[in-house]
Amino acid sequence: MKFLTATLLWLVAMLASANDGVYYVNGNQIVPLQETDIAVTKEVLTITMGNDEFARVDVQYEFTNRGKAKTIDVGFEAQGPYEPGGDSEFSKAGKHPDIFDFTVEMNGATLPIRNYVMRGSSQEDAPDFTPLDLNQWKLEDEDGEGLRNKTTDEYINYSYAYCFKANFMEGKNVVHHTYRYRMSSGVYQTFNIPYWLLPAMRWANHQIDDFTLRLKVDKTAKQFCMTVDDTWMANRWKLTAGTGKVRTVNSPWGGDNNYVEFALRDGTYEFHATNFRPKENINILSTECLTLTDSETFRLGSFYDRGIALIAPYELQFDDEEGKFLNGSTEGIANKRIIRNLPYAHRGYVFQDAKLKAYFSKIWWYMPDPSWKQDTSDFTDEEWELINNNK
């Protein structure tokens, strides 16, 4: 009964704050601005997560120009941010305020980038890369979601354009594209990394002949998930570096949505496909939402992110017997002991204490690492606060 009551209270709180999500920007593919006979023959897409608030993108493309050498315009669309109740920054120069270190190198040469503001497109439709005359448009409101025409009163969503001229030789061409972008967040989502895959279908072959997606975690550990369809099943992922686990999880909310969930420490999971035609775009989400199951499987620390030392959702149950290993509350001797050991467990500390060993062995993300030397030099300020506040 306590679990049910607390869960209902939590749900009410979440619904009351449902507008608190922040969307900064999506990752995206580069696309031709006009019809072309150039095909994407290979793509290696690496998305890296660390302890900060950014996702890092590194894309290695191989294109095949089936005709004569030519120059075409290529573009990258970045949707404008949405910050409810915030003071969104609007860049008339056309550089997205939440994208940094944007570079394109083609056949060994760094290309100049042209930036401007354009109409926003849907995820599926071809975008219109025509620059907007910003003398005719104004930012609609403080949320920063759209623009309104000063004369016609037309309202539109907007995006930032990153465009360049690409000189394609006959045959094989190599493009290396990098940037980092601020991760979004939402109700019960510490981080959310949206990435559009569908635009790659606009090249001549309407597929990626040889596609690799690498999800990388650098100098930390992350627990994250993606919505599952028959493309992204757990058995199609291979651990190529570091320590990790992957599994398919049923949605705690019911319905048909399932997730593939990853626990990854200092490593990489890799997905590979040939003749790849994505059915949808992807979102990489922190997995607090998947820890909301029932009183039998919920455990304190089921989700933990060392970047902000987040423990969630500890509000769901209450400790009614001090000194006993129970789920939920941050109160009580036993639970405080669990909490202050979370940073150590996250790095793979092998517990000698029987109770702690038994507890963390039931936490899915826990991956013991006998080689870890209890080096606390990478503990974050938030983690030290977590430890010191639960002695």
Side-chain angles (χ1 to χ4, degrees), residues 257-377:
N257 285 338
N258 292 322
Y259 296 84
V260 57
E261 182 182 16
F262 303 83
L264 182 58
R265 185 169 62 232
D266 298 330
T268 304
Y269 263 106
E270 184 172 297
F271 168 92
H272 180 258
T274 55
N275 302 319
F276 180 64
R277 297 178 180 176
K279 299 177 181 178
E280 59 184 19
N281 298 307
I282 60 172
N283 261 352
I284 301 167
L285 310 170
S286 58
T287 55
E288 298 100 307
C289 60
L290 301 187
T291 65
L292 178 60
T293 52
D294 56 61
S295 59
E296 297 301 318
T297 59
F298 173 83
R299 300 183 72 81
L300 178 63
S302 294
F303 175 83
Y304 176 78
D305 190 278
R306 71 172 73 163
I308 55 175
L310 177 71
I311 309 166
Y314 61 74
E315 302 92 343
L316 298 185
Q317 281 188 291
F318 302 97
D319 189 357
D320 60 357
E321 186 176 343
E322 189 174 281
K324 184 178 179 181
F325 281 92
L326 293 177
N327 306 325
S329 174
T330 58
E331 298 302 319
I333 295 172
N335 283 352
K336 287 181 178 292
R337 191 177 182 212
I338 292 169
I339 292 169
R340 67 175 180 262
N341 276 285
L342 280 167
Y344 297 89
H346 213 234
R347 290 160 175 81
Y349 179 71
V350 179
F351 292 96
Q352 302 302 313
D353 180 272
K355 286 186 176 181
L356 287 173
K357 182 177 181 180
Y359 188 89
F360 282 108
S361 67
K362 295 178 182 179
I363 299 293
W364 182 72
W365 54 255
Y366 176 59
M367 297 174 287
D369 179 9
S371 68
W372 188 59
K373 303 301 183 183
Q374 300 185 50
D375 178 6
T376 61
S377 61

Side-chain angles (χ1 to χ4, degrees), residues 241-267:
T243 305
K245 296 178 178 179
V246 61
R247 64 178 178 177
T248 300
V249 179
N250 295 327
S251 171
W253 312 108
D256 298 329
N257 285 338
N258 292 322
Y259 296 84
V260 57
E261 182 182 16
F262 303 83
L264 182 58
R265 185 169 62 232
D266 298 330

Side-chain angles (χ1 to χ4, degrees), residues 23 30 34 57 69 88 106 126 167 174 177 202 216 222 282 295 317 330 342 361 365:
Y23 170 83
I30 57 175
Q34 63 267 354
V57 176
S88 296
M106 183 172 187
N167 299 313
V174 176
H177 180 208
R202 297 180 193 134
K216 181 178 179 181
K222 290 288 181 183
I282 60 172
S295 59
Q317 281 188 291
T330 58
L342 280 167
S361 67
W365 54 255

Side-chain angles (χ1 to χ4, degrees), residues 97-153:
D98 300 299
I99 291 181
F100 303 88
D101 306 325
F102 189 98
T103 66
V104 178
E105 185 180 273
M106 183 172 187
N107 297 326
T110 300
L111 302 184
I113 307 298
R114 179 190 176 202
N115 292 97
Y116 54 86
V117 180
M118 56 181 274
R119 285 179 180 264
S121 70
S122 70
Q123 298 183 24
E124 294 80 15
D125 297 332
D128 178 1
F129 273 88
T130 303
L132 290 174
D133 179 359
L134 295 183
N135 292 320
Q136 302 298 319
W137 298 86
K138 64 179 180 179
L139 197 65
E140 170 64 8
D141 52 40
E142 64 178 8
D143 293 346
E145 191 173 13
L147 300 176
R148 191 171 295 279
N149 191 285
K150 298 176 182 178
T151 303
T152 67
D153 206 39

Side-chain angles (χ1 to χ4, degrees), residues 31 197-208 276-278:
V31 298
L197 290 173
L198 293 176
M201 302 302 98
R202 297 180 193 134
W203 293 93
N205 49 341
H206 306 298
Q207 67 176 28
I208 303 169
F276 180 64
R277 297 178 180 176

